[in-house]
Amino acid sequence: MLVVENIQKHFDGFKAVNGACLSVETGEIVAVIGPNGAGKTTLFNLITGQLKPDGGKITFSDEDITFLPPHRICKKGIARSFQIANIFHRLTVFRNVQVSVLSQKTRNLNVFFPSDRFFVEETRAIMESVGLADKDREIAGALSHGDRRLLEIAVALGNEPRLLILDEPTAGMSPEETATTIQLIKRLADTRGLTILFCEHDMDVVFDVSHRIMVMEQGRTLIQGAPEEIKKNPEVQRAYLGNE
Ligand code: ADP
Ligand code: MG
């Protein structure tokens, strides 16, 4: 589904992403791991078009998307959440999700037209799937950190993606919230048939949900493989898995 080849991004000569490679098959849950500053967020920004690469190639469903702008990449079926929550704080949970559904379904939306009755069912279905159905009237800015992160995933789902990219989905979450998020990721893959690419620092989460793992170091791909393969790799063990 997604192939990233030898991708490069330099900031004033600093090689934040320096030849990373990644492949994601349809239906897979793939994790990217690596220390802070390895280039994970930058890699995701390159895939979704927020950043333009200085070299390399990105292919999605056999189409070259390397230099497409973010909205075109989104229309092709890649949606993402951000490491820092990206929602309308003064709107309700329902409205946040509905706005994203509307933006996908309607092209010439008149912003002054009362749109609150549009796509109510679609919006509810998405809130249901992330477990926020009973909080639809709450103001987004008043949600707990964990619920805000779930809302962000709901907003990404409004774009009807085939590939969902999550940047540290459990960052800052309590153990309970983390467990809920793990279940959610598994459920989205199982019931919605979504392909999921995420980066994550919590190794328990990574080994619990991933079909394959890519390890990044200093902008490069150290290895990509099945969890057992990653666990056995001596370099990975030394760098990330301590004495395990
Ligand atoms: P990760 O998500 O793996 O922690 P990042 O992709 O955020 O890593 O960052 C990789 C490296 O690139 C870091 O050293 C970071 O400081 C640097 N970097 C990221 N974005 C920028 C930017 N816009 N300008 C300059 N340096 C950046
Ligand atoms: Mg990051």
Side-chain angles (χ1 to χ4, degrees), residues 41 83 167-168:
T41 297
Q83 192 171 5
D167 195 340
E168 304 215 10

Side-chain angles (χ1 to χ4, degrees), residues 9-12 14-17 32-45 51 83 167-168 199 216 218-219:
K9 182 68 193 178
H10 309 163
F11 297 111
D12 296 326
F14 173 73
K15 295 174 176 172
V17 172
V32 176
I33 64 171
N36 264 336
K40 305 179 295 294
T41 297
T42 305
L43 173 66
F44 288 177
N45 284 334
L51 290 173
Q83 192 171 5
D167 195 340
E168 304 215 10
C199 72
M216 243 182 132
Q218 295 179 5

Side-chain angles (χ1 to χ4, degrees), residues 10-197:
H10 309 163
F11 297 111
D12 296 326
F14 173 73
K15 295 174 176 172
V17 172
N18 189 19
C21 297
L22 171 72
S23 79
V24 181
E25 310 266 349
T26 304
E28 264 189 330
I29 303 177
V30 174
V32 176
I33 64 171
N36 264 336
K40 305 179 295 294
T41 297
T42 305
L43 173 66
F44 288 177
N45 284 334
L46 291 167
I47 295 169
T48 54
Q50 264 88 24
L51 290 173
K52 299 280 163 246
D54 295 306
K57 187 174 174 190
I58 304 172
T59 314
F60 180 63
S61 291
D62 297 323
E63 254 186 285
D64 188 342
I65 62 161
T66 315
F67 291 105
L68 290 186
H71 67 278
R72 295 268 311 278
I73 293 174
C74 186
K75 287 270 182 231
K76 297 217 176 278
I78 303 181
R80 69 172 302 182
S81 77
F82 291 81
Q83 192 171 5
I84 298 159
N86 187 39
I87 50 182
F88 297 111
H89 290 265
R90 292 189 182 200
L91 297 184
T92 62
V93 168
F94 182 85
R95 249 339 227 169
N96 264 283
V97 179
Q98 190 185 32
V99 164
S100 103
V101 173
L102 280 166
S103 73
Q104 171 70 12
K105 302 248 188 212
T106 55
R107 276 158 191 277
N108 304 310
L109 178 66
N110 178 345
V111 290
F112 298 109
F113 195 80
S115 58
D116 46 314
R117 267 171 270 140
F118 287 159
F119 304 111
V120 169
E121 264 173 50
E122 288 87 341
T123 303
R124 285 204 186 287
I126 290 170
M127 289 193 309
E128 199 109 357
S129 70
V130 303
L132 284 178
D134 57 336
K135 296 189 174 143
D136 59 343
R137 285 154 191 249
E138 289 188 26
I139 298 295
L143 292 176
S144 70
H145 175 76
D147 283 345
R148 247 188 344 250
R149 300 302 312 262
L150 294 179
L151 175 56
E152 249 227 324
I153 294 176
V155 168
L157 292 176
N159 294 304
E160 294 183 357
R162 286 183 290 142
L163 173 63
L164 178 64
I165 299 183
L166 305 172
D167 195 340
E168 304 215 10
T170 73
M173 284 190 170
S174 68
E176 294 76 31
E177 290 172 335
T178 298
T180 307
T181 305
I182 291 173
Q183 290 314 315
L184 171 62
I185 291 173
K186 287 179 175 170
R187 207 168 56 234
L188 290 175
D190 283 350
T191 61
R192 282 186 169 247
L194 266 176
T195 306
I196 297 175
L197 172 65

